[in-house]
Amino acid sequence: MLVKDTNSKLALFTCLSALWHLFIAKNKMFKDCGISAGKIRLPVFAAYVTDDSHAFDKTNATGRLLLNALILLI
């Protein structure tokens, strides 16, 4: 499947960025957010990655893409 439109490319890039923050830069992200519990709420995570706390909602393509990527990785 080819990604042709700009919105799809942006959603894919945002999803990859989110996955990178979750698996590679998690400790820095938690430190930057002041989180010590080992868990981050989805709106806080979305705001950290995209500056939009609703970016990973299930009603957004980026949110659905991220959810499917996480399901595949688990």
mmCIF file of all heavy atoms in Angstrom, residues 7-60:
data_model
loop_
_atom_site.group_PDB
_atom_site.id
_atom_site.type_symbol
_atom_site.label_atom_id
_atom_site.label_comp_id
_atom_site.label_asym_id
_atom_site.label_seq_id
_atom_site.Cartn_x
_atom_site.Cartn_y
_atom_site.Cartn_z
ATOM 1 N N ASN A 7 -1.883 13.866 4.693
ATOM 2 C CA ASN A 7 -2.438 13.486 5.992
ATOM 3 C C ASN A 7 -2.013 12.074 6.380
ATOM 4 O O ASN A 7 -1.729 11.813 7.541
ATOM 5 C CB ASN A 7 -3.960 13.605 5.990
ATOM 6 C CG ASN A 7 -4.420 15.048 5.964
ATOM 7 O OD1 ASN A 7 -3.691 15.958 6.354
ATOM 8 N ND2 ASN A 7 -5.630 15.259 5.488
ATOM 9 N N SER A 8 -1.973 11.175 5.435
ATOM 10 C CA SER A 8 -1.546 9.807 5.717
ATOM 11 C C SER A 8 -0.074 9.755 6.090
ATOM 12 O O SER A 8 0.323 9.039 7.006
ATOM 13 C CB SER A 8 -1.794 8.908 4.514
ATOM 14 O OG SER A 8 -3.163 8.811 4.247
ATOM 15 N N LYS A 9 0.723 10.535 5.382
ATOM 16 C CA LYS A 9 2.158 10.588 5.698
ATOM 17 C C LYS A 9 2.376 11.171 7.082
ATOM 18 O O LYS A 9 3.208 10.675 7.847
ATOM 19 C CB LYS A 9 2.906 11.406 4.659
ATOM 20 C CG LYS A 9 3.001 10.738 3.316
ATOM 21 C CD LYS A 9 3.703 11.622 2.318
ATOM 22 C CE LYS A 9 3.709 10.997 0.937
ATOM 23 N NZ LYS A 9 4.318 11.876 -0.060
ATOM 24 N N LEU A 10 1.632 12.209 7.427
ATOM 25 C CA LEU A 10 1.753 12.822 8.740
ATOM 26 C C LEU A 10 1.309 11.850 9.839
ATOM 27 O O LEU A 10 1.959 11.743 10.880
ATOM 28 C CB LEU A 10 0.936 14.106 8.807
ATOM 29 C CG LEU A 10 0.989 14.869 10.126
ATOM 30 C CD1 LEU A 10 2.422 15.284 10.458
ATOM 31 C CD2 LEU A 10 0.079 16.079 10.072
ATOM 32 N N ALA A 11 0.215 11.128 9.612
ATOM 33 C CA ALA A 11 -0.265 10.147 10.586
ATOM 34 C C ALA A 11 0.773 9.047 10.794
ATOM 35 O O ALA A 11 1.035 8.638 11.928
ATOM 36 C CB ALA A 11 -1.593 9.544 10.138
ATOM 37 N N LEU A 12 1.367 8.583 9.710
ATOM 38 C CA LEU A 12 2.391 7.545 9.813
ATOM 39 C C LEU A 12 3.615 8.060 10.564
ATOM 40 O O LEU A 12 4.141 7.381 11.449
ATOM 41 C CB LEU A 12 2.782 7.060 8.426
ATOM 42 C CG LEU A 12 3.838 5.962 8.368
ATOM 43 C CD1 LEU A 12 3.375 4.726 9.118
ATOM 44 C CD2 LEU A 12 4.164 5.618 6.925
ATOM 45 N N PHE A 13 4.077 9.252 10.244
ATOM 46 C CA PHE A 13 5.223 9.836 10.934
ATOM 47 C C PHE A 13 4.930 10.030 12.414
ATOM 48 O O PHE A 13 5.768 9.733 13.273
ATOM 49 C CB PHE A 13 5.610 11.182 10.298
ATOM 50 C CG PHE A 13 6.729 11.862 11.017
ATOM 51 C CD1 PHE A 13 8.038 11.436 10.831
ATOM 52 C CD2 PHE A 13 6.479 12.904 11.893
ATOM 53 C CE1 PHE A 13 9.081 12.058 11.518
ATOM 54 C CE2 PHE A 13 7.513 13.521 12.570
ATOM 55 C CZ PHE A 13 8.820 13.100 12.384
ATOM 56 N N THR A 14 3.733 10.509 12.742
ATOM 57 C CA THR A 14 3.355 10.718 14.141
ATOM 58 C C THR A 14 3.302 9.392 14.890
ATOM 59 O O THR A 14 3.754 9.301 16.038
ATOM 60 C CB THR A 14 1.998 11.439 14.222
ATOM 61 O OG1 THR A 14 2.090 12.671 13.506
ATOM 62 C CG2 THR A 14 1.612 11.728 15.655
ATOM 63 N N CYS A 15 2.779 8.367 14.248
ATOM 64 C CA CYS A 15 2.726 7.037 14.863
ATOM 65 C C CYS A 15 4.128 6.505 15.129
ATOM 66 O O CYS A 15 4.408 5.984 16.206
ATOM 67 C CB CYS A 15 1.943 6.086 13.972
ATOM 68 S SG CYS A 15 1.827 4.411 14.629
ATOM 69 N N LEU A 16 5.003 6.639 14.147
ATOM 70 C CA LEU A 16 6.386 6.188 14.335
ATOM 71 C C LEU A 16 7.086 6.974 15.440
ATOM 72 O O LEU A 16 7.837 6.416 16.240
ATOM 73 C CB LEU A 16 7.161 6.298 13.021
ATOM 74 C CG LEU A 16 6.744 5.323 11.938
ATOM 75 C CD1 LEU A 16 7.454 5.647 10.627
ATOM 76 C CD2 LEU A 16 7.009 3.900 12.359
ATOM 77 N N SER A 17 6.826 8.256 15.507
ATOM 78 C CA SER A 17 7.395 9.088 16.566
ATOM 79 C C SER A 17 6.890 8.632 17.941
ATOM 80 O O SER A 17 7.659 8.535 18.902
ATOM 81 C CB SER A 17 7.030 10.547 16.331
ATOM 82 O OG SER A 17 7.518 11.362 17.360
ATOM 83 N N ALA A 18 5.603 8.327 18.025
ATOM 84 C CA ALA A 18 5.030 7.850 19.285
ATOM 85 C C ALA A 18 5.651 6.525 19.704
ATOM 86 O O ALA A 18 6.000 6.322 20.873
ATOM 87 C CB ALA A 18 3.516 7.708 19.145
ATOM 88 N N LEU A 19 5.810 5.612 18.751
ATOM 89 C CA LEU A 19 6.432 4.325 19.058
ATOM 90 C C LEU A 19 7.871 4.513 19.508
ATOM 91 O O LEU A 19 8.333 3.843 20.441
ATOM 92 C CB LEU A 19 6.358 3.388 17.843
ATOM 93 C CG LEU A 19 4.962 2.918 17.459
ATOM 94 C CD1 LEU A 19 5.003 2.195 16.129
ATOM 95 C CD2 LEU A 19 4.359 2.057 18.551
ATOM 96 N N TRP A 20 8.585 5.423 18.881
ATOM 97 C CA TRP A 20 9.965 5.711 19.281
ATOM 98 C C TRP A 20 10.002 6.224 20.714
ATOM 99 O O TRP A 20 10.819 5.777 21.517
ATOM 100 C CB TRP A 20 10.587 6.742 18.328
ATOM 101 C CG TRP A 20 12.034 6.973 18.615
ATOM 102 C CD1 TRP A 20 13.080 6.237 18.174
ATOM 103 C CD2 TRP A 20 12.597 8.012 19.418
ATOM 104 N NE1 TRP A 20 14.257 6.750 18.645
ATOM 105 C CE2 TRP A 20 13.988 7.847 19.416
ATOM 106 C CE3 TRP A 20 12.049 9.068 20.133
ATOM 107 C CZ2 TRP A 20 14.843 8.686 20.103
ATOM 108 C CZ3 TRP A 20 12.894 9.915 20.817
ATOM 109 C CH2 TRP A 20 14.272 9.719 20.798
ATOM 110 N N HIS A 21 9.091 7.133 21.051
ATOM 111 C CA HIS A 21 9.057 7.657 22.420
ATOM 112 C C HIS A 21 8.705 6.558 23.428
ATOM 113 O O HIS A 21 9.229 6.550 24.543
ATOM 114 C CB HIS A 21 8.067 8.819 22.527
ATOM 115 C CG HIS A 21 8.622 10.112 22.044
ATOM 116 N ND1 HIS A 21 8.475 10.534 20.751
ATOM 117 C CD2 HIS A 21 9.343 11.052 22.674
ATOM 118 C CE1 HIS A 21 9.070 11.701 20.606
ATOM 119 N NE2 HIS A 21 9.617 12.036 21.755
ATOM 120 N N LEU A 22 7.827 5.655 23.055
ATOM 121 C CA LEU A 22 7.424 4.583 23.977
ATOM 122 C C LEU A 22 8.517 3.555 24.218
ATOM 123 O O LEU A 22 8.689 3.066 25.330
ATOM 124 C CB LEU A 22 6.189 3.855 23.440
ATOM 125 C CG LEU A 22 4.849 4.468 23.740
ATOM 126 C CD1 LEU A 22 3.750 3.657 23.069
ATOM 127 C CD2 LEU A 22 4.606 4.576 25.225
ATOM 128 N N PHE A 23 9.256 3.216 23.179
ATOM 129 C CA PHE A 23 10.194 2.108 23.300
ATOM 130 C C PHE A 23 11.654 2.518 23.404
ATOM 131 O O PHE A 23 12.467 1.768 23.939
ATOM 132 C CB PHE A 23 10.015 1.134 22.128
ATOM 133 C CG PHE A 23 8.677 0.448 22.159
ATOM 134 C CD1 PHE A 23 7.689 0.787 21.257
ATOM 135 C CD2 PHE A 23 8.393 -0.508 23.109
ATOM 136 C CE1 PHE A 23 6.448 0.165 21.280
ATOM 137 C CE2 PHE A 23 7.161 -1.135 23.156
ATOM 138 C CZ PHE A 23 6.188 -0.794 22.242
ATOM 139 N N ILE A 24 12.019 3.685 22.914
ATOM 140 C CA ILE A 24 13.414 4.107 22.921
ATOM 141 C C ILE A 24 13.665 5.222 23.936
ATOM 142 O O ILE A 24 14.631 5.169 24.695
ATOM 143 C CB ILE A 24 13.865 4.569 21.511
ATOM 144 C CG1 ILE A 24 13.603 3.482 20.466
ATOM 145 C CG2 ILE A 24 15.322 5.011 21.514
ATOM 146 C CD1 ILE A 24 14.356 2.190 20.693
ATOM 147 N N ALA A 25 12.817 6.220 23.955
ATOM 148 C CA ALA A 25 13.050 7.407 24.789
ATOM 149 C C ALA A 25 12.060 7.511 25.945
ATOM 150 O O ALA A 25 11.726 8.609 26.392
ATOM 151 C CB ALA A 25 12.984 8.654 23.917
ATOM 152 N N LYS A 26 11.587 6.383 26.431
ATOM 153 C CA LYS A 26 10.567 6.367 27.483
ATOM 154 C C LYS A 26 11.055 7.042 28.766
ATOM 155 O O LYS A 26 10.335 7.848 29.351
ATOM 156 C CB LYS A 26 10.166 4.922 27.768
ATOM 157 C CG LYS A 26 9.116 4.765 28.825
ATOM 158 C CD LYS A 26 8.766 3.291 28.983
ATOM 159 C CE LYS A 26 8.060 3.017 30.265
ATOM 160 N NZ LYS A 26 7.819 1.600 30.460
ATOM 161 N N ASN A 27 12.265 6.753 29.196
ATOM 162 C CA ASN A 27 12.768 7.328 30.442
ATOM 163 C C ASN A 27 12.875 8.843 30.355
ATOM 164 O O ASN A 27 12.520 9.552 31.305
ATOM 165 C CB ASN A 27 14.123 6.717 30.808
ATOM 166 C CG ASN A 27 13.997 5.259 31.184
ATOM 167 O OD1 ASN A 27 12.944 4.811 31.627
ATOM 168 N ND2 ASN A 27 15.058 4.497 30.991
ATOM 169 N N LYS A 28 13.340 9.367 29.225
ATOM 170 C CA LYS A 28 13.438 10.814 29.058
ATOM 171 C C LYS A 28 12.051 11.445 29.046
ATOM 172 O O LYS A 28 11.823 12.492 29.658
ATOM 173 C CB LYS A 28 14.177 11.163 27.768
ATOM 174 C CG LYS A 28 14.328 12.659 27.557
ATOM 175 C CD LYS A 28 14.964 12.971 26.219
ATOM 176 C CE LYS A 28 15.135 14.447 25.984
ATOM 177 N NZ LYS A 28 14.048 15.322 26.325
ATOM 178 N N MET A 29 11.116 10.799 28.369
ATOM 179 C CA MET A 29 9.753 11.308 28.310
ATOM 180 C C MET A 29 9.146 11.359 29.704
ATOM 181 O O MET A 29 8.548 12.363 30.087
ATOM 182 C CB MET A 29 8.903 10.423 27.392
ATOM 183 C CG MET A 29 7.454 10.843 27.304
ATOM 184 S SD MET A 29 6.458 9.825 26.201
ATOM 185 C CE MET A 29 6.594 8.208 26.938
ATOM 186 N N PHE A 30 9.314 10.293 30.483
ATOM 187 C CA PHE A 30 8.770 10.268 31.832
ATOM 188 C C PHE A 30 9.409 11.358 32.678
ATOM 189 O O PHE A 30 8.729 12.021 33.462
ATOM 190 C CB PHE A 30 8.984 8.900 32.465
ATOM 191 C CG PHE A 30 7.937 7.880 32.085
ATOM 192 C CD1 PHE A 30 7.300 7.923 30.857
ATOM 193 C CD2 PHE A 30 7.605 6.868 32.950
ATOM 194 C CE1 PHE A 30 6.343 6.990 30.505
ATOM 195 C CE2 PHE A 30 6.646 5.920 32.610
ATOM 196 C CZ PHE A 30 6.008 5.986 31.391
ATOM 197 N N LYS A 31 10.710 11.553 32.536
ATOM 198 C CA LYS A 31 11.402 12.590 33.294
ATOM 199 C C LYS A 31 10.896 13.975 32.896
ATOM 200 O O LYS A 31 10.621 14.805 33.760
ATOM 201 C CB LYS A 31 12.910 12.498 33.067
ATOM 202 C CG LYS A 31 13.707 13.485 33.859
ATOM 203 C CD LYS A 31 15.190 13.322 33.609
ATOM 204 C CE LYS A 31 15.967 14.398 34.361
ATOM 205 N NZ LYS A 31 17.388 14.354 34.037
ATOM 206 N N ASP A 32 10.752 14.204 31.594
ATOM 207 C CA ASP A 32 10.259 15.496 31.109
ATOM 208 C C ASP A 32 8.846 15.790 31.592
ATOM 209 O O ASP A 32 8.502 16.941 31.855
ATOM 210 C CB ASP A 32 10.284 15.548 29.579
ATOM 211 C CG ASP A 32 11.676 15.596 28.999
ATOM 212 O OD1 ASP A 32 12.644 15.819 29.770
ATOM 213 O OD2 ASP A 32 11.809 15.392 27.772
ATOM 214 N N CYS A 33 8.017 14.758 31.699
ATOM 215 C CA CYS A 33 6.629 14.923 32.142
ATOM 216 C C CYS A 33 6.488 14.878 33.656
ATOM 217 O O CYS A 33 5.389 15.094 34.181
ATOM 218 C CB CYS A 33 5.746 13.841 31.525
ATOM 219 S SG CYS A 33 5.561 13.981 29.733
ATOM 220 N N GLY A 34 7.556 14.554 34.363
ATOM 221 C CA GLY A 34 7.496 14.459 35.818
ATOM 222 C C GLY A 34 6.743 13.239 36.299
ATOM 223 O O GLY A 34 6.096 13.270 37.345
ATOM 224 N N ILE A 35 6.827 12.152 35.568
ATOM 225 C CA ILE A 35 6.102 10.930 35.900
ATOM 226 C C ILE A 35 7.052 9.936 36.538
ATOM 227 O O ILE A 35 8.119 9.648 36.015
ATOM 228 C CB ILE A 35 5.476 10.313 34.631
ATOM 229 C CG1 ILE A 35 4.465 11.277 34.052
ATOM 230 C CG2 ILE A 35 4.842 8.968 34.929
ATOM 231 C CD1 ILE A 35 3.941 10.872 32.705
ATOM 232 N N SER A 36 6.642 9.409 37.705
ATOM 233 C CA SER A 36 7.470 8.416 38.379
ATOM 234 C C SER A 36 6.736 7.094 38.587
ATOM 235 O O SER A 36 7.309 6.151 39.091
ATOM 236 C CB SER A 36 7.925 8.964 39.738
ATOM 237 O OG SER A 36 6.802 9.225 40.557
ATOM 238 N N ALA A 37 5.471 7.037 38.185
ATOM 239 C CA ALA A 37 4.648 5.857 38.429
ATOM 240 C C ALA A 37 4.878 4.743 37.422
ATOM 241 O O ALA A 37 4.403 3.640 37.614
ATOM 242 C CB ALA A 37 3.171 6.247 38.435
ATOM 243 N N GLY A 38 5.581 5.015 36.331
ATOM 244 C CA GLY A 38 5.811 3.986 35.321
ATOM 245 C C GLY A 38 4.700 3.871 34.303
ATOM 246 O O GLY A 38 4.753 3.024 33.416
ATOM 247 N N LYS A 39 3.676 4.703 34.410
ATOM 248 C CA LYS A 39 2.569 4.700 33.452
ATOM 249 C C LYS A 39 2.296 6.133 33.036
ATOM 250 O O LYS A 39 2.486 7.068 33.818
ATOM 251 C CB LYS A 39 1.298 4.128 34.080
ATOM 252 C CG LYS A 39 1.408 2.667 34.452
ATOM 253 C CD LYS A 39 0.120 2.171 35.049
ATOM 254 C CE LYS A 39 0.260 0.716 35.459
ATOM 255 N NZ LYS A 39 -0.971 0.203 36.065
ATOM 256 N N ILE A 40 1.849 6.295 31.803
ATOM 257 C CA ILE A 40 1.505 7.619 31.306
ATOM 258 C C ILE A 40 0.108 7.553 30.705
ATOM 259 O O ILE A 40 -0.235 6.591 30.021
ATOM 260 C CB ILE A 40 2.549 8.124 30.278
ATOM 261 C CG1 ILE A 40 2.295 9.572 29.901
ATOM 262 C CG2 ILE A 40 2.604 7.218 29.064
ATOM 263 C CD1 ILE A 40 3.437 10.213 29.146
ATOM 264 N N ARG A 41 -0.693 8.543 31.016
ATOM 265 C CA ARG A 41 -2.049 8.588 30.460
ATOM 266 C C ARG A 41 -1.979 8.961 28.993
ATOM 267 O O ARG A 41 -1.110 9.713 28.564
ATOM 268 C CB ARG A 41 -2.894 9.589 31.231
ATOM 269 C CG ARG A 41 -3.137 9.147 32.671
ATOM 270 C CD ARG A 41 -4.022 10.130 33.365
ATOM 271 N NE ARG A 41 -5.187 10.380 32.532
ATOM 272 C CZ ARG A 41 -6.440 10.183 32.905
ATOM 273 N NH1 ARG A 41 -6.685 9.749 34.112
ATOM 274 N NH2 ARG A 41 -7.434 10.438 32.090
ATOM 275 N N LEU A 42 -2.898 8.442 28.217
ATOM 276 C CA LEU A 42 -2.897 8.655 26.777
ATOM 277 C C LEU A 42 -2.939 10.140 26.391
ATOM 278 O O LEU A 42 -2.171 10.559 25.524
ATOM 279 C CB LEU A 42 -4.050 7.885 26.124
ATOM 280 C CG LEU A 42 -4.068 7.886 24.607
ATOM 281 C CD1 LEU A 42 -2.791 7.268 24.035
ATOM 282 C CD2 LEU A 42 -5.281 7.134 24.104
ATOM 283 N N PRO A 43 -3.774 10.976 27.017
ATOM 284 C CA PRO A 43 -3.770 12.393 26.628
ATOM 285 C C PRO A 43 -2.445 13.095 26.932
ATOM 286 O O PRO A 43 -2.003 13.944 26.156
ATOM 287 C CB PRO A 43 -4.894 13.012 27.455
ATOM 288 C CG PRO A 43 -5.764 11.880 27.841
ATOM 289 C CD PRO A 43 -4.872 10.683 27.938
ATOM 290 N N VAL A 44 -1.794 12.708 28.011
ATOM 291 C CA VAL A 44 -0.495 13.290 28.347
ATOM 292 C C VAL A 44 0.548 12.839 27.328
ATOM 293 O O VAL A 44 1.363 13.641 26.855
ATOM 294 C CB VAL A 44 -0.069 12.894 29.784
ATOM 295 C CG1 VAL A 44 1.327 13.387 30.099
ATOM 296 C CG2 VAL A 44 -1.073 13.416 30.798
ATOM 297 N N PHE A 45 0.508 11.581 26.969
ATOM 298 C CA PHE A 45 1.425 11.043 25.968
ATOM 299 C C PHE A 45 1.202 11.721 24.619
ATOM 300 O O PHE A 45 2.150 12.150 23.953
ATOM 301 C CB PHE A 45 1.233 9.529 25.856
ATOM 302 C CG PHE A 45 2.077 8.878 24.806
ATOM 303 C CD1 PHE A 45 3.458 8.984 24.831
ATOM 304 C CD2 PHE A 45 1.495 8.144 23.788
ATOM 305 C CE1 PHE A 45 4.247 8.378 23.858
ATOM 306 C CE2 PHE A 45 2.261 7.536 22.815
ATOM 307 C CZ PHE A 45 3.643 7.661 22.856
ATOM 308 N N ALA A 46 -0.052 11.859 24.221
ATOM 309 C CA ALA A 46 -0.366 12.509 22.950
ATOM 310 C C ALA A 46 0.101 13.959 22.945
ATOM 311 O O ALA A 46 0.670 14.434 21.957
ATOM 312 C CB ALA A 46 -1.866 12.434 22.672
ATOM 313 N N ALA A 47 -0.113 14.660 24.037
ATOM 314 C CA ALA A 47 0.323 16.056 24.120
ATOM 315 C C ALA A 47 1.841 16.157 24.074
ATOM 316 O O ALA A 47 2.390 17.080 23.466
ATOM 317 C CB ALA A 47 -0.212 16.696 25.392
ATOM 318 N N TYR A 48 2.531 15.208 24.679
ATOM 319 C CA TYR A 48 3.992 15.220 24.660
ATOM 320 C C TYR A 48 4.527 15.004 23.242
ATOM 321 O O TYR A 48 5.448 15.689 22.814
ATOM 322 C CB TYR A 48 4.545 14.153 25.601
ATOM 323 C CG TYR A 48 6.050 14.133 25.671
ATOM 324 C CD1 TYR A 48 6.725 15.027 26.487
ATOM 325 C CD2 TYR A 48 6.800 13.234 24.931
ATOM 326 C CE1 TYR A 48 8.111 15.036 26.552
ATOM 327 C CE2 TYR A 48 8.179 13.227 24.980
ATOM 328 C CZ TYR A 48 8.828 14.127 25.806
ATOM 329 O OH TYR A 48 10.207 14.127 25.861
ATOM 330 N N VAL A 49 3.931 14.080 22.528
ATOM 331 C CA VAL A 49 4.421 13.736 21.190
ATOM 332 C C VAL A 49 3.961 14.753 20.146
ATOM 333 O O VAL A 49 4.730 15.127 19.264
ATOM 334 C CB VAL A 49 3.971 12.314 20.791
ATOM 335 C CG1 VAL A 49 4.349 11.993 19.359
ATOM 336 C CG2 VAL A 49 4.582 11.286 21.734
ATOM 337 N N THR A 50 2.712 15.223 20.241
ATOM 338 C CA THR A 50 2.126 16.009 19.152
ATOM 339 C C THR A 50 1.673 17.416 19.529
ATOM 340 O O THR A 50 1.246 18.156 18.656
ATOM 341 C CB THR A 50 0.895 15.289 18.583
ATOM 342 O OG1 THR A 50 -0.142 15.289 19.568
ATOM 343 C CG2 THR A 50 1.203 13.881 18.154
ATOM 344 N N ASP A 51 1.682 17.762 20.786
ATOM 345 C CA ASP A 51 1.118 19.028 21.284
ATOM 346 C C ASP A 51 -0.406 19.063 21.144
ATOM 347 O O ASP A 51 -1.005 20.134 21.188
ATOM 348 C CB ASP A 51 1.731 20.251 20.583
ATOM 349 C CG ASP A 51 3.192 20.456 20.948
ATOM 350 O OD1 ASP A 51 3.579 20.109 22.078
ATOM 351 O OD2 ASP A 51 3.941 20.967 20.095
ATOM 352 N N ASP A 52 -1.033 17.924 20.953
ATOM 353 C CA ASP A 52 -2.487 17.810 20.866
ATOM 354 C C ASP A 52 -2.908 16.625 21.725
ATOM 355 O O ASP A 52 -2.615 15.474 21.399
ATOM 356 C CB ASP A 52 -2.918 17.603 19.413
ATOM 357 C CG ASP A 52 -4.418 17.369 19.261
ATOM 358 O OD1 ASP A 52 -5.173 17.555 20.246
ATOM 359 O OD2 ASP A 52 -4.846 16.998 18.158
ATOM 360 N N SER A 53 -3.598 16.910 22.816
ATOM 361 C CA SER A 53 -3.947 15.831 23.744
ATOM 362 C C SER A 53 -4.970 14.846 23.160
ATOM 363 O O SER A 53 -5.184 13.775 23.720
ATOM 364 C CB SER A 53 -4.476 16.403 25.054
ATOM 365 O OG SER A 53 -5.643 17.175 24.825
ATOM 366 N N HIS A 54 -5.580 15.186 22.053
ATOM 367 C CA HIS A 54 -6.563 14.296 21.424
ATOM 368 C C HIS A 54 -6.026 13.619 20.173
ATOM 369 O O HIS A 54 -6.778 12.954 19.450
ATOM 370 C CB HIS A 54 -7.837 15.071 21.078
ATOM 371 C CG HIS A 54 -8.547 15.590 22.282
ATOM 372 N ND1 HIS A 54 -9.300 14.788 23.096
ATOM 373 C CD2 HIS A 54 -8.585 16.833 22.819
ATOM 374 C CE1 HIS A 54 -9.793 15.510 24.090
ATOM 375 N NE2 HIS A 54 -9.369 16.753 23.954
ATOM 376 N N ALA A 55 -4.745 13.741 19.909
ATOM 377 C CA ALA A 55 -4.158 13.196 18.683
ATOM 378 C C ALA A 55 -4.287 11.683 18.586
ATOM 379 O O ALA A 55 -4.386 11.137 17.488
ATOM 380 C CB ALA A 55 -2.697 13.596 18.575
ATOM 381 N N PHE A 56 -4.296 10.980 19.716
ATOM 382 C CA PHE A 56 -4.350 9.522 19.694
ATOM 383 C C PHE A 56 -5.727 8.978 20.074
ATOM 384 O O PHE A 56 -5.868 7.814 20.423
ATOM 385 C CB PHE A 56 -3.277 8.925 20.602
ATOM 386 C CG PHE A 56 -1.875 9.283 20.178
ATOM 387 C CD1 PHE A 56 -0.904 9.547 21.121
ATOM 388 C CD2 PHE A 56 -1.531 9.370 18.842
ATOM 389 C CE1 PHE A 56 0.389 9.873 20.745
ATOM 390 C CE2 PHE A 56 -0.251 9.710 18.450
ATOM 391 C CZ PHE A 56 0.717 9.962 19.407
ATOM 392 N N ASP A 57 -6.755 9.814 19.978
ATOM 393 C CA ASP A 57 -8.120 9.346 20.205
ATOM 394 C C ASP A 57 -8.491 8.333 19.132
ATOM 395 O O ASP A 57 -7.993 8.388 18.006
ATOM 396 C CB ASP A 57 -9.109 10.511 20.154
ATOM 397 C CG ASP A 57 -9.007 11.437 21.359
ATOM 398 O OD1 ASP A 57 -8.253 11.113 22.296
ATOM 399 O OD2 ASP A 57 -9.676 12.486 21.344
ATOM 400 N N LYS A 58 -9.407 7.449 19.458
ATOM 401 C CA LYS A 58 -9.796 6.420 18.488
ATOM 402 C C LYS A 58 -10.567 6.994 17.310
ATOM 403 O O LYS A 58 -10.722 6.332 16.292
ATOM 404 C CB LYS A 58 -10.603 5.314 19.165
ATOM 405 C CG LYS A 58 -11.945 5.754 19.705
ATOM 406 C CD LYS A 58 -12.659 4.609 20.378
ATOM 407 C CE LYS A 58 -13.976 5.091 20.965
ATOM 408 N NZ LYS A 58 -14.674 4.018 21.638
ATOM 409 N N THR A 59 -11.008 8.237 17.411
ATOM 410 C CA THR A 59 -11.709 8.871 16.298
ATOM 411 C C THR A 59 -10.744 9.468 15.278
ATOM 412 O O THR A 59 -11.166 9.849 14.189
ATOM 413 C CB THR A 59 -12.648 9.979 16.810
ATOM 414 O OG1 THR A 59 -11.880 10.916 17.574
ATOM 415 C CG2 THR A 59 -13.754 9.390 17.663
ATOM 416 N N ASN A 60 -9.465 9.540 15.611
ATOM 417 C CA ASN A 60 -8.447 10.069 14.695
ATOM 418 C C ASN A 60 -7.697 8.927 14.021
ATOM 419 O O ASN A 60 -7.440 7.886 14.628
ATOM 420 C CB ASN A 60 -7.429 10.938 15.442
ATOM 421 C CG ASN A 60 -8.033 12.225 15.933
ATOM 422 O OD1 ASN A 60 -8.995 12.722 15.372
ATOM 423 N ND2 ASN A 60 -7.474 12.772 16.992
#
